[in-house]
Amino acid sequence: MRRCIQLAKNGLHNAPPNPMVGAVIVHGDRIIGEGYHVRCGEGHAEVNAFASVKPEDEHLLPESTIYVSLEPCAHYGKTPPCANLIVEKGVRRCVVGCIDPFAKVQGRGVEIIRSAGIEVTVGVLEEECKQLNKRFFTYHQHHRPFITLKWAQSKDGFIAYKDQTPSKPLHISNEFTQVICHKRRAEHQAILVGRNTVIADNPSLTTRLWYGNNPLRCVIGNEEQLKSMKAPDGNDYKLLKTGAGTLFVSSIDQLLKKLYELGIQSLLVEGGSKLLQSFIDRGLWDEAYVETGNIIIGEGIASPTLKTI
């Protein structure tokens, strides 16, 4: 099952909105097939695992066990049900990491396999398998994206200067942590800042320093007001440029509703301080990453205060 999880992580960037899944087929003490869900719309982990079995090993399938990190699907989507494929291949046993919360599955895959007389074990490394697809699970169970908060703060607890502008930034992150920040952006489908952060920092909110898709950029604020203004350098704000792909909303509730409708399963909130605190106060967060630098500035905009959910 650990190998399933390891394989599944390879689908981090391309599997969404489908979950990341890994599958391993074992005969005795030998792996004879393995695979993961590479890309949404293409073969699932089980399909790729069976396809990887060499012709000379196919006769071993009736005495083999297939391990899958997430319950095999039981419905027709862009691909046929994997539960039916497992039955068709006639393996002896199926070991499942955790049940799929998606409404069209939720135990139906396991039921199909068991009804065919195949032994099924559920719950092996269950918490690790759930953690693997925390974004997928949160989206389907809570009808909102998985929310990650992120900010950098000075050693004395400030997130920015009081009069911060793009020409007077507070440099807390170093080159390494900037790369980590862009990596985190690449791992989320949407990114959010408030209007004041756009004015103060004029951010691009892209993944310039890491491989991966740029997240959908979101701003809580009025687009027309920003269009009537100019950035300190006299140009348009970067998030307003043609092709920027920026979503403007008036509230957190409107944002979460819209992202759910768009099928967005993960949201990274990068600022500012009031916006981050609003998510914290409402318990609308799942993870938080706080970078604390060595700089002391004495006064400025205070960092958010985390509260235990």
Side-chain angles (χ1 to χ4, degrees):
M1 190 59 70
R2 293 197 187 281
R3 176 59 175 163
C4 288
I5 294 172
Q6 183 183 43
L7 288 166
K9 290 179 180 179
N10 291 317
L12 176 63
H13 294 293
N14 295 318
N18 288 353
M20 294 178 283
V21 185
V24 176
I25 303 170
V26 178
H27 180 269
D29 59 357
R30 184 166 70 92
I31 292 176
I32 63 172
E34 61 180 27
Y36 68 94
H37 186 36
V38 178
R39 186 174 289 102
C40 180
E42 297 182 3
H44 289 186
E46 300 91 328
V47 173
N48 293 330
F50 281 119
S52 75
V53 177
K54 296 179 180 179
E56 59 267 30
D57 287 335
E58 289 185 355
H59 73 282
L60 301 175
L61 288 177
E63 295 299 324
S64 298
T65 297
I66 181 169
Y67 293 80
V68 189
S69 56
L70 184 68
E71 178 185 11
C73 62
H75 63 290
Y76 283 88
K78 294 182 179 179
T79 60
C82 290
N84 291 1
L85 176 64
I86 290 173
V87 171
E88 177 188 327
K89 293 295 183 179
V91 295
R92 179 180 64 85
R93 184 171 176 242
C94 178
V95 179
V96 176
C98 61
I99 295 297
D100 190 338
F102 183 49
K104 293 183 178 180
V105 187
Q106 288 187 328
R108 293 178 180 86
V110 166
E111 182 181 349
I112 289 172
I113 298 168
R114 278 187 175 142
S115 297
I118 297 173
E119 179 186 347
V120 180
T121 301
V122 178
V124 175
L125 297 184
E126 184 174 22
E127 290 308 313
E128 289 91 334
C129 290
K130 287 182 177 179
Q131 183 68 13
L132 173 69
N133 282 303
K134 57 193 177 184
R135 295 170 174 84
F136 178 79
F137 279 40
T138 297
Y139 177 82
H140 287 288
Q141 292 175 334
H142 300 293
H143 299 142
R144 66 164 174 82
F146 184 94
I147 300 170
T148 303
L149 309 181
K150 175 268 173 188
W151 70 86
Q153 62 186 23
S154 64
K155 192 173 183 179
D156 52 348
F158 296 101
I159 198 171
Y161 294 118
K162 283 187 176 180
D163 56 347
Q164 182 158 312
T165 64
S167 60
K168 184 188 176 183
L170 174 59
H171 293 294
I172 296 174
S173 300
N174 55 39
E175 290 183 0
F176 175 75
T177 57
Q178 286 176 350
V179 171
I180 295 299
C181 173
H182 284 228
K183 176 179 181 293
R184 197 160 287 129
R185 288 178 179 178
E187 294 170 350
H188 288 76
Q189 293 177 286
I191 185 170
L192 171 69
V193 294
R195 173 181 174 275
N196 290 339
T197 295
V198 176
I199 295 171
D201 298 342
N202 192 17
S204 297
L205 303 182
T206 61
T207 57
R208 302 180 303 280
L209 304 178
W210 192 263
Y211 169 81
N213 298 323
N214 289 323
L216 171 66
R217 296 176 290 191
C218 307
V219 177
I220 292 185
N222 188 288
E223 181 178 7
E224 295 305 316
Q225 286 181 349
L226 281 176
K227 284 182 177 179
S228 68
M229 304 168 62
K230 291 292 184 181
D233 61 4
N235 294 316
D236 292 335
Y237 284 101
K238 296 173 184 176
L239 298 185
L240 294 175
K241 291 182 178 179
T242 302
T246 303
L247 173 66
F248 285 84
V249 294
S250 60
S251 67
I252 291 176
D253 289 332
Q254 183 186 18
L255 172 72
L256 297 184
K257 182 176 184 293
K258 184 63 176 178
L259 292 182
Y260 180 75
E261 291 172 351
L262 291 173
I264 300 293
Q265 296 181 5
S266 56
L267 170 68
L268 178 63
V269 184
E270 284 203 1
S273 186
K274 289 183 179 179
L275 180 60
L276 287 160
Q277 195 64 55
S278 295
F279 277 88
I280 294 169
D281 291 343
R282 294 182 58 181
L284 284 173
W285 63 284
D286 301 288
E287 285 185 353
Y289 293 90
V290 182
E291 176 188 351
T292 302
N294 290 322
I295 186 173
I296 295 176
I297 67 171
E299 64 177 357
I301 298 175
S303 302
T305 302
L306 283 172
K307 301 175 183 179
T308 302
I309 296 178

